[in-house]
Amino acid sequence: MIEVKNLSRKFGELVAVNDISFKIGSGQIVGFLGPNAAGKTTTLRMLIGYLQPTSGEILINGKSIFTHPLESIRQIGYLPESNALYDEMSVYDYLRYMGSLRGLDQAQFETRLDFVIDKCGLKDVISQIIGTLSKGYRQRTGLTQAILHDPPILILDEPTNGLDPNQIFDIRELIFELGSEKTVLISSHIMQEIQAVSDRIMIINRGSIIIDEDKELLVTQLNNRKQLVLELEAGKLALEELIAQIPELEIHRNEQIGEELFLELSAPADIDLKRLVGEHARKHKWLVLSMFIRRHSLEEVFYNLTRNLQKEAPEDSEAGEIEPEETSNEVVEA
Amino acid sequence: MSKAFLIANKEFMVALRTVAIYFIFAIFLGVVGVIFSSTLFKVGRADLRSLFSVMHLIFLFYIPALTMGTLAREKSSGTFEVLSVSPIRLSSVVWGKFLASWALVFIAMALTLFYLVILVIFGRGIDFGAIACGYLGLLLIGGVYTSVGIFASSIQSNQVLAFVLGLGICALMYIVQFMIPIIPPQFLRIFQFISIDYHYQNFQKGVVDSRDLIYLLSLMTGFNILSELKLKSQNLMSER
């Protein structure tokens, strides 16, 4: 169990992490999401005791990591963002070394090793020198190192960094499997990844946690408004008639390009917008070329949230640079 | 402390697996050999004094080169972060690195025993006691330079700068001996105390003085503690 109370970290003038608090119970997979330079890695580094916080408290299984550093670090497996490895060692030697630093004797190590290299798919490269490994195998070696001593808490900083889609899928499966009995904290700036594996989502931006919510709950909240996208040809739109019928209706786009008209409307989820607009179309003899409901993806929300916050406070923009991910809109019905 | 030996063992094994270390050994042995043969065959003196002083001089460059990467590389490559998820103390890291580097110094010195064998074959009236003391003293000086080099490595993340800094501190302790003749007598004691060579003189004469032993050992420990404090002040694993 991880408990964080009023944690802050400053780098000179820059506030990297600003007074965050959260609690993660066991058996939970928590996605730690944020744009680059939001404070994710800083937070995780503080959790493992690598970086000293400016203020605040961190408890691992109820014990402060500052008063019980060695005891609490035994509970944690960590994959750093940089995934730094000793390039001149072989995979086996590296894992043996890491195992012995964590107090595994030869017998314990051998049993664990069989299990973890099988799980992480390292069998083929076990005697290879780390410096000669591909990025994917390096990442897996890092992950193996993190789970080697079977820690109850796993902290993974961008674990699928640099992997191909198949490997990403494998790693996600593994995280999912581990998550059933362990506390897992995964950071990423990639939304789909977090959406795919985690039960709970924390979004951090500019050093503060702006969302900390159950994933399912978050997804439902996001979809409380439906958005209808239309492409049509019509003599008369008569939208005011539609607004009279649905007072909550919002028009996001109303644009004529050549002969065709593009409309984007939204209304609360409980209103059957499709049917109402359809009936309206029949009445006014629209020629509907396409019509579908666009559902909000988490990614879009993440993008909007982090970007809007940045617009509000543009004076120190170096703190949170956004890499806009392409917003993929799920087409639900056509 | 057992964790320090684990780290030392790993560092040592990794170092022996690199090609560079054998080049360094070869060069070391070569340079020492040239000096050795010139004193033995030209001057015809059957002792290792000149050999010791030249080894001492080579140590000034050899040891900072050996230690420059120890902590600097861990910090710049990020492996320190992984190390910090293991239940180890910073002192174990520093002492582990120290022991591994010192062992390499030991090996380099052991290789020069080859010249001692030549000396035994060709020389007469060899003072083995003085030679043993000379080796002991040089080994301790090597230890001091190793801890200085590691301290430099803890300050700098750049290996080249760590080398320059290590060389600078070691050279300072070395060249103080040349200033002794020109300084006012009231400061003599202080300069003698600082000068590493002054303490080494006794060893070369075949005298093991506990004051010199304590001096060298406390320098070693002192610099290792400084390295540990430096890492702590950088906020790396600072609670351990």
Side-chain angles (χ1 to χ4, degrees):
Chain A
M1 201 188 77
I2 308 172
E3 199 177 347
V4 169
K5 289 178 190 162
N6 307 96
L7 194 66
S8 294
R9 168 74 204 203
K10 287 179 193 150
F11 292 106
E13 286 293 293
L14 180 77
V15 183
V17 172
N18 186 14
D19 194 28
I20 62 171
S21 302
F22 58 84
K23 210 174 184 176
I24 302 171
S26 58
Q28 226 179 5
I29 305 180
V30 178
F32 201 49
L33 193 69
N36 288 342
K40 296 186 300 273
T41 298
T42 307
T43 309
L44 298 187
R45 280 181 173 173
M46 286 193 285
L47 287 183
I48 60 156
Y50 176 69
L51 204 64
Q52 176 87 324
T54 309
S55 65
E57 213 177 329
I58 300 164
L59 306 175
I60 302 287
N61 289 341
K63 281 182 181 157
S64 165
I65 67 162
F66 308 120
T67 53
H68 302 82
L70 298 185
E71 196 177 323
S72 49
I73 205 68
R74 283 200 183 90
Q75 315 286 322
I76 299 177
Y78 176 61
L79 172 68
E81 188 186 17
S82 60
N83 185 28
L85 304 165
Y86 296 106
D87 285 350
E88 55 286 304
M89 295 176 97
S90 74
V91 175
Y92 179 86
D93 286 345
Y94 174 69
L95 293 175
R96 181 78 198 90
Y97 175 53
M98 279 303 168
S100 58
L101 281 184
R102 284 155 196 176
L104 295 183
D105 62 33
Q106 189 67 32
Q108 284 171 317
F109 171 71
E110 294 292 345
T111 15
R112 272 304 287 174
L113 186 73
D114 282 343
F115 174 75
V116 289
I117 62 170
D118 183 50
K119 277 274 171 275
C120 298
L122 277 179
K123 244 185 194 121
D124 302 335
V125 295
I126 190 73
S127 51
Q128 214 167 311
I129 301 293
I130 290 176
T132 65
L133 292 181
S134 68
K135 176 108 182 169
Y137 274 123
R138 287 181 70 92
Q139 195 69 21
R140 288 196 239 175
T141 308
L143 194 64
T144 311
Q145 163 273 123
I147 61 174
L148 181 64
H149 52 305
D150 198 17
I153 296 171
L154 266 182
I155 296 176
L156 309 173
D157 202 349
E158 315 218 346
T160 58
N161 210 346
L163 300 182
D164 71 34
N166 285 332
Q167 294 167 336
I168 290 179
F169 187 78
D170 289 347
I171 296 291
R172 277 183 193 166
E173 288 282 292
L174 178 63
I175 292 169
F176 214 72
E177 208 180 305
L178 293 169
S180 60
E181 52 194 37
K182 294 183 194 302
T183 306
V184 186
L185 182 59
I186 308 173
S187 95
S188 179
H189 61 270
I190 302 162
M191 192 69 221
Q192 294 105 317
E193 181 159 318
I194 297 295
Q195 206 173 346
V197 295
S198 53
D199 316 319
R200 180 173 140 199
I201 292 175
M202 273 196 272
I203 299 182
I204 183 169
N205 192 34
R206 309 173 67 80
S208 307
I209 291 178
I210 48 178
I211 285 183
D212 181 359
E213 200 84 76
D214 203 74
K215 184 178 78 183
E216 298 305 323
L217 218 67
L218 195 61
V219 172
T220 2
Q221 276 181 5
L222 293 178
N223 290 323
N224 61 2
R225 276 185 88 83
K226 266 185 206 163
Q227 196 169 18
L228 193 67
V229 182
L230 283 136
E231 194 182 331
L232 56 96
E233 282 176 24
K236 191 173 159 232
L237 271 179
L239 282 177
E240 59 285 350
E241 212 172 290
L242 204 60
I243 294 169
Q245 205 177 354
I246 318 164
E248 301 94 333
L249 187 77
E250 274 177 36
I251 299 161
H252 300 284
R253 187 179 177 201
N254 182 358
E255 194 181 355
Q256 178 123 28
I257 298 171
E259 284 290 291
E260 288 160 28
L261 251 163
F262 294 87
L263 269 185
E264 281 182 33
L265 313 166
S266 77
D270 52 333
I271 290 170
D272 194 355
L273 191 62
K274 254 191 320 184
R275 174 164 292 276
L276 291 171
V277 172
E279 279 168 359
H280 184 78
R282 186 169 61 188
K283 190 171 155 196
H284 292 279
K285 299 203 163 51
W286 292 358
L287 170 62
V288 177
L289 302 169
S290 106
M291 172 163 149
F292 62 89
I293 283 193
R294 179 187 285 165
R295 193 170 277 176
H296 288 288
S297 70
L298 274 177
E299 194 164 320
E300 199 179 339
V301 173
F302 166 61
Y303 180 60
N304 287 337
L305 260 174
T306 47
R307 200 176 47 165
N308 287 346
L309 281 174
Q310 239 171 12
K311 277 182 190 159
E312 280 165 28
E315 64 274 5
D316 45 0
S317 55
E318 78 278 6
E321 220 149 270
I322 298 266
E323 275 189 353
E325 304 278 349
E326 268 181 42
T327 44
S328 68
N329 299 316
E330 247 176 86
V331 179
V332 183
E333 283 154 286
Chain B
M1 206 59 202
S2 66
K3 293 282 161 69
F5 286 116
L6 274 176
I7 293 172
N9 180 45
K10 173 252 167 190
E11 292 292 322
F12 186 68
M13 287 313 188
V14 166
L16 286 188
R17 227 178 287 162
T18 55
V19 184
I21 196 77
Y22 295 102
F23 274 108
I24 294 178
F25 284 156
I27 293 168
F28 179 74
L29 212 53
V31 175
V32 173
V34 168
I35 306 294
F36 169 75
S37 52
S38 67
T39 51
L40 183 67
F41 299 117
K42 281 189 193 155
V43 187
R45 229 176 41 207
D47 68 16
L48 288 177
R49 273 205 175 204
S50 56
L51 189 93
F52 284 143
S53 55
V54 81
M55 268 161 76
H56 188 176
L57 197 62
I58 294 172
F59 274 0
L60 285 181
F61 298 90
Y62 166 65
I63 294 177
L66 209 64
T67 55
M68 66 182 183
T70 47
L71 292 168
R73 219 160 60 128
E74 295 259 4
K75 280 190 290 172
S76 62
S77 74
T79 44
F80 215 102
E81 211 176 329
V82 189
L83 215 54
S84 69
V85 209
S86 305
I88 46 172
R89 293 180 188 277
L90 278 172
S91 57
S92 304
V93 178
V94 173
W95 280 95
K97 302 271 179 187
F98 169 77
L99 290 174
S101 305
W102 201 16
L104 293 173
V105 174
F106 197 92
I107 289 185
M109 285 184 60
L111 290 175
T112 64
L113 289 177
F114 172 63
Y115 298 123
L116 182 65
V117 172
I118 295 178
L119 204 64
V120 171
I121 295 171
F122 293 104
R124 247 167 295 161
I126 302 161
D127 184 352
F128 285 105
I131 287 175
C133 284
Y135 267 110
L136 174 69
L138 208 53
L139 192 63
L140 290 173
I141 288 174
V144 171
Y145 289 168
T146 305
S147 61
V148 168
I150 286 172
F151 172 62
S153 191
S154 77
I155 288 183
Q156 288 293 341
S157 293
N158 182 321
Q159 292 195 42
V160 178
L161 291 177
F163 172 74
V164 173
L165 185 66
L167 176 64
I169 302 174
C170 293
L172 196 70
M173 293 195 291
Y174 180 76
I175 57 169
V176 170
Q177 57 174 311
F178 302 112
M179 288 151 73
I180 288 175
I182 53 166
I183 50 147
Q186 60 265 40
F187 297 122
L188 190 66
R189 291 292 305 152
I190 301 171
F191 274 76
Q192 280 180 341
F193 183 73
I194 296 170
S195 167
I196 212 152
D197 194 69
Y198 177 78
H199 294 271
Y200 185 50
Q201 291 303 325
N202 286 338
F203 284 104
Q204 279 205 331
K205 285 174 205 149
V207 179
V208 181
D209 188 335
S210 59
R211 279 174 299 185
D212 299 326
L213 281 179
I214 291 169
Y215 172 80
L216 293 171
L217 288 174
S218 47
L219 266 185
M220 262 180 247
T221 317
F223 274 106
N224 281 349
I225 291 173
L226 280 182
S227 308
E228 193 191 329
L229 290 178
K230 179 62 201 164
L231 291 179
K232 277 197 178 161
S233 74
Q234 282 170 336
N235 263 318
L236 306 174
M237 302 160 64
S238 52
E239 297 300 326
R240 280 177 248 169

